[in-house]
Amino acid sequence: MRGSFDGSQVRAAENGTWLCNGAVVDGTGRPPFLGDVLLAGDEIKAVSAPVAEVDESDRIDCTGLTIVPGFIDIHTHSDVSFLHEPGAGSKVAQGVTTEVIGNCGFSPFPVARSRRDALEEFITGIGFPRQRVWWDDLAGFAEAVTASGPVMNVVPLVGHGALRIACTGSTDVHLDRADLERLAASLGKSLEQGAFGMSSGLTYVPSKFANLDELVRLGRVLAEHGAMYATHARATPGTEPFEEAIAVCRAAGVKLQFSHVALNDPKMWRRAPEVVALFQAAADRGLDVRYDVYPYHASASALTQYLPGWLQESGETGIREQLSSGRLYDRARRELSRGLFGAIPWDWSRVVFSFVDTGRPELAGRSVAQAAEALDTGPEDLCLDLCARYGNRVQVVLFYRDEADVEFFLADPLSIVGSDGSAMTEDAPGKPHPRNFGAHARLIERYVRARSVVDLPTAVHKSTLAAAERLGLIDRGRIAAGAKADIAVLDLAAVRERATWADPCRYAEGVRHVWINGRQVVAYGRTTGARAGRFLLRGR
Ligand SMILES: [Zn+2]
């Protein structure tokens, strides 16, 4: 799609901007080439060999810089953050121009009026303060986000947990045929309103209560709409989580996006090749299978996720009430002590508090083991006590992964890079996972430049066109004439993740310019204040 230079493009430049003489990495994965890129309106008008004659006033010199499509972060939890922080500082600073929300079963829609409270509490599980939900569905939420003036594009998935809460609540109920059809109809409505797919979160209440039949039934609805099934898989042993996801894909004929692939069980460490072989075998059989990965050897979530399911069914109040009974407390303690997801032996020195309510800042950055010792209590008792007091406002980072697996997944052609992070500002409380601030910068700094795990065009492809194709975003993710003008200009040698585990709330460096829908939102490393984002709806 590389355009050739002709006189008409010089005239077009009167109403556009030339990015001149940059190394263009166009998102397809092919090698960089030296070129000029003309932006006009909200589109890329032309891509050409360097042109000498462009008027100074219409040109931005990109000599020595790299022009890439803006990053499309296929796995984020920025859902409600756009309502509070529409400037999305941590993401813009990395050159991200599109956030895919609604992952891991969490989305702030649809809403059943009688269960508005339950949904509000549910979405605190992705790490944000409680958000009042005043809309009823995707259309209403899209309006709310649009009214906040988001800096970047937003692509919604609908969460299976949210669908289930709206239809049958948070409890572990068996869905009869009629329930299942109501759930399927509700999914259909979100898809008709423009959701790009559905995500499940099979370690979270209530998504975890779904059986294979339910997932396949919903998968068929997705397949009918040509939409994607993203899954945060169950924490079952060995390769079972991957096999279940592939089984849904095969039985429903739906395209599968396996979310944030990782091996958390030490028994599975260094076995990434086996997992990739499973995905590859499925792809070889003609199934539409991809997965995403984030470039860190640690995960993060609410601590409540690791409590027994029965304890979580009636929300924070239910946790508090049940733990006040001695008998249920003992049962919860016994079940929690069985390990991570009830199976992987706990090493409490690997579980680090990232945020514990606003009243307990001293805990952020300390491991559960350290904190329990200092407070002269047991780690399980400390966890139960904090969850009873603060519910989902207890967030942890878990160092339960092996770096070799991360690198193997990153290098595999089936992987796409998503952060699993949210848009935040540098004054975010606690010590959140650095992925919120640095995933895309880290990909370049560490896995392209320092470790040579992937080359630059491949890394850019995994963060742009590969994600766009997965979602069916036909006009984004590449530098080509006719594509939307979502662009980042990088000073490649200066791209650096400043976030660390100890000091995570630091914007990344090295992104010189960013355009979103043709408007410049970062110029010479500083945000311009332009709010150029669009809430994208499938088929619109
Ligand atoms: Zn997840």
Side-chain angles (χ1 to χ4, degrees), residues 274-426:
E274 279 174 55
V275 174
V276 166
L278 278 176
F279 285 127
Q280 190 58 56
D284 291 345
R285 290 198 307 272
L287 301 184
D288 191 353
V289 174
R290 299 293 293 266
Y291 63 86
D292 49 73
V293 58
Y294 57 90
Y296 295 88
H297 67 293
S299 60
S301 74
L303 182 60
T304 52
Q305 187 191 180
Y306 309 107
L307 300 180
W310 56 265
L311 189 56
Q312 300 178 57
E313 283 177 37
S314 33
E316 291 185 6
T317 331
I319 292 175
R320 201 167 301 127
E321 279 170 13
Q322 294 179 91
L323 289 179
S324 66
S325 138
R327 187 179 58 80
L328 292 178
Y329 183 95
D330 289 345
R331 181 182 164 198
R333 191 180 182 290
R334 199 167 53 243
E335 291 182 19
L336 176 62
S337 69
R338 282 183 199 145
L340 177 61
F341 299 117
I344 304 167
W346 284 113
D347 176 347
W348 292 109
S349 68
R350 290 175 174 273
V351 184
V352 177
F353 292 113
S354 54
F355 174 73
V356 185
D357 196 66
T358 45
R360 302 295 293 272
E362 79 284 3
L363 289 175
R366 308 184 80 174
S367 71
V368 173
Q370 288 169 327
E373 194 183 322
L375 294 164
D376 198 21
T377 183
E380 288 88 356
D381 292 310
L382 176 62
C383 290
L384 292 176
D385 176 55
L386 292 173
C387 289
R389 284 172 199 266
Y390 306 118
N392 287 332
R393 296 184 310 290
V394 187
Q395 297 278 325
V396 288
V397 173
L398 294 93
F399 293 86
Y400 265 85
R401 291 176 184 178
D402 188 279
E403 177 72 15
D405 291 324
V406 176
E407 293 196 352
F408 196 89
F409 288 130
L410 283 170
D412 176 41
L414 288 177
S415 71
I416 295 173
V417 174
S419 70
D420 201 12
S422 304
M424 293 184 177
T425 56
E426 284 188 318

Side-chain angles (χ1 to χ4, degrees), residues 77 80 106 121-130 301-302 355 392-395 422 424 429 432:
H77 291 291
V80 297
F106 293 92
E121 187 178 309
F122 174 63
I123 56 181
T124 63
I126 53 177
F128 282 96
R130 191 164 174 134
S301 74
F355 174 73
N392 287 332
R393 296 184 310 290
V394 187
Q395 297 278 325
S422 304
M424 293 184 177

